[in-house]
Structure formats: C-alpha cells, structure tokens
Amino acid sequence: LKARADRRAVTLTVANIPTGTLSVEYELSYLTGTGLPKGALGKVDLQGKTELSRERLLGTCSKSVCTYDEGVTSVNLFLRFNHPDGASQFSKEYPLE
C-alpha cells in the first residue's frame, strides 16, 4: 500500500498471488484528522491473474466533484484471498509517509 504524493489516494498493489486464487477482497479503513472513521471495500475477480493494482481515493466523489479526507496518517488494510481449497487472510496497518 503506497500513498500518492498528494496523500489524497493510496495504491493497493498485490503481487505473487498464488495460482488458482479466484478473487481477492479488500477493505481499507482509516480515521480522518477529525477522528471520523472512513474506508473502502472491493473485490477483484482475478481470472487467472497473479497480480493486481488499484488506486483508491481517501475521500468521496460525486458528479466529478471530489471531497478529500484530511489528516489521514495511516490506513489499515485487510485482504482475503479466495481459493477453491479455502481462504486466507492478511492484515496490516500502513503509515502514510
């Protein structure tokens, strides 16, 4: 997980996903500078791929107008790898530097 230079978005990159993994579910959660909890959820169907990359804004957009969350210092990441034999999970907190 890497913050964009302006710290208004993060890029989630996952490489070396085990062959046969069907999908990856992700959850990003963080606190704004005012202490308001925010986050984003998603699911990526891999279709045989072993890498994925997604940019997620730290804020909301509506009709081409975006409002960014200020004061975010870290993001918690939770990943669930869905495989025919079961699922595995990963979680970590990433400071935004």
Side-chain angles (χ1 to χ4, degrees):
L1 196 68
K2 184 174 181 175
R4 197 166 69 186
D6 64 6
R7 296 174 52 137
R8 291 184 166 178
V10 293
T11 300
L12 167 64
T13 304
V14 183
N16 300 317
I17 299 170
T19 303
T21 302
L22 302 173
S23 63
V24 176
E25 297 173 54
Y26 63 88
E27 178 180 330
L28 303 172
S29 61
Y30 58 90
L31 294 176
T32 66
T34 60
L36 185 64
K38 295 278 191 104
L41 303 171
K43 180 179 179 180
V44 179
D45 291 319
L46 295 173
Q47 301 175 345
K49 296 178 185 174
T50 58
E51 295 185 6
L52 70 90
S53 183
R54 295 287 185 274
E55 182 177 81
R56 292 293 166 236
L57 293 179
L58 301 178
T60 56
C61 295
S62 178
K63 294 187 180 184
S64 301
V65 176
C66 295
T67 303
Y68 298 102
D69 296 323
E70 301 295 332
V72 179
T73 59
S74 66
V75 175
N76 292 303
L77 172 65
F78 173 80
L79 298 172
R80 179 182 172 96
F81 297 88
N82 299 307
H83 194 276
D85 297 331
S88 59
Q89 300 176 0
F90 169 86
S91 63
K92 184 176 178 178
E93 181 177 358
Y94 290 87
L96 299 185
E97 299 174 358

